[in-house]
């Protein structure tokens, strides 16, 4: 879900809502999300292809368009899933991605290949589509981020208690004290 959430706010986007503004932003995101180690993230930061950031954004939006309906209890749209499959298929056919059993794997040199990196994102989204428990996938009512509810009772309401949960509680408290 981290890829789908790589914007500041889905519900009320500000004028500058974009988190992926440069290859450095994408590289930092890969590192922060745990998808790449320092060397791999540095390789991503060295991608010079000007289309790369736009391709990553395209994979992010396709991923969101696949998972957001599921979080709302609706069927996924076929077109964005097709975008993810298409990106994955072309990279697999070209040999840009190797598999470690069923998991995608990139050699260090491939982390500098914009097509391989975006195909990796697409493939991970496809894997999530087939493996995540749909009844635990939710959308935060405050920011619109998608999250997997791993709480014991399955009653988690926000993407993060530290951010949206606290903001919601402060908002409710202010509303009650103003009334």
């Amino acid at each position: 879900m981290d890829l789908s959430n790589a914007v500041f706010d889905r519900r009320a986007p500000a004028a500058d809502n974009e988190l992926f503004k440069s290859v450095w932003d994408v590289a930092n995101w890969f590192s922060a999300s745990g998808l790449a180690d320092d060397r791999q993230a540095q390789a991503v930061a060295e991608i010079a292809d000007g289309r790369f950031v736009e391709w990553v954004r395209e994979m992010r939006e396709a991923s969101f368009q696949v998972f957001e309906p599921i979080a709302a209890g609706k069927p996924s749209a076929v077109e964005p899933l097709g975008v993810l499959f298409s990106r994955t298929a072309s990279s697999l056919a070209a040999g840009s991605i190797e598999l470690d059993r069923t998991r995608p794997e990139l050699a260090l040199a491939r982390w500098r290949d914009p097509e391989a990196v975006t195909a990796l994102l697409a493939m991970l989204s496809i894997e999530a589509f087939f493996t995540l428990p749909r009844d635990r996938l939710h959308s935060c009512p405050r920011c619109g981020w998608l999250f997997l509810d791993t709480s014991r009772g399955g009653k988690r309401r926000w993407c993060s208690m530290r951010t949206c949960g606290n903001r919601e509680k402060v908002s409710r408290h202010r509303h009650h004290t103003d009334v």
Side-chain angles (χ1 to χ4, degrees):
M1 298 297 92
D2 288 345
L3 178 61
S4 295
N5 295 336
V7 294
F8 285 109
D9 194 324
R10 288 267 182 204
R11 296 250 187 265
D16 190 20
N17 201 41
E18 183 58 62
L19 289 177
F20 293 147
K21 295 177 185 172
S22 70
V23 292
W24 286 102
D25 294 334
V26 174
N28 287 333
W29 177 83
F30 263 101
S31 180
S33 68
L35 290 174
D37 62 27
D38 290 342
R39 289 178 52 213
Q40 293 164 334
Q42 180 59 41
V44 170
E46 295 169 6
I47 292 176
D49 190 321
R51 301 170 295 176
F52 172 62
V53 174
E54 190 57 41
W55 289 346
V56 171
R57 290 177 188 161
E58 181 184 358
M59 294 304 100
R60 176 193 63 206
E61 293 309 311
S63 180
F64 180 77
Q65 291 169 9
V66 164
F67 293 111
E68 196 271 335
I70 295 171
K74 300 175 184 173
S76 282
V78 177
E79 294 82 9
L81 192 57
V83 168
L84 296 171
F85 271 112
S86 178
R87 178 65 67 168
T88 299
S90 64
S91 222
L92 283 171
S96 300
I97 293 180
E98 297 191 11
L99 297 177
D100 178 9
R101 297 185 188 172
T102 59
R103 297 284 309 200
E105 189 172 280
L106 296 179
L108 183 60
R110 290 294 184 185
W111 282 96
R112 290 181 183 86
D113 178 350
E115 292 184 21
V117 173
T118 52
L120 172 72
L121 292 173
M123 196 168 192
L124 291 172
S125 292
I126 291 168
E127 177 186 29
F129 175 77
F130 287 108
T131 61
L132 290 179
R134 293 171 186 272
D135 61 328
R136 292 288 184 133
L137 183 61
H138 302 291
S139 177
C140 180
R142 188 160 185 92
C143 71
W145 278 16
L146 301 173
F147 65 92
L148 193 60
D149 182 357
T150 58
S151 68
R152 185 178 216 175
K155 303 220 185 261
R156 184 171 147 197
R157 289 192 270 171
W158 302 289
C159 62
S160 166
M161 187 59 202
R162 289 185 304 174
T163 54
C164 287
N166 282 339
R167 289 177 185 155
E168 185 66 25
K169 286 181 176 190
V170 167
S171 175
R172 273 194 260 148
H173 175 74
R174 284 186 183 147
H175 176 72
H176 289 302
T177 57
D178 290 343
V179 175

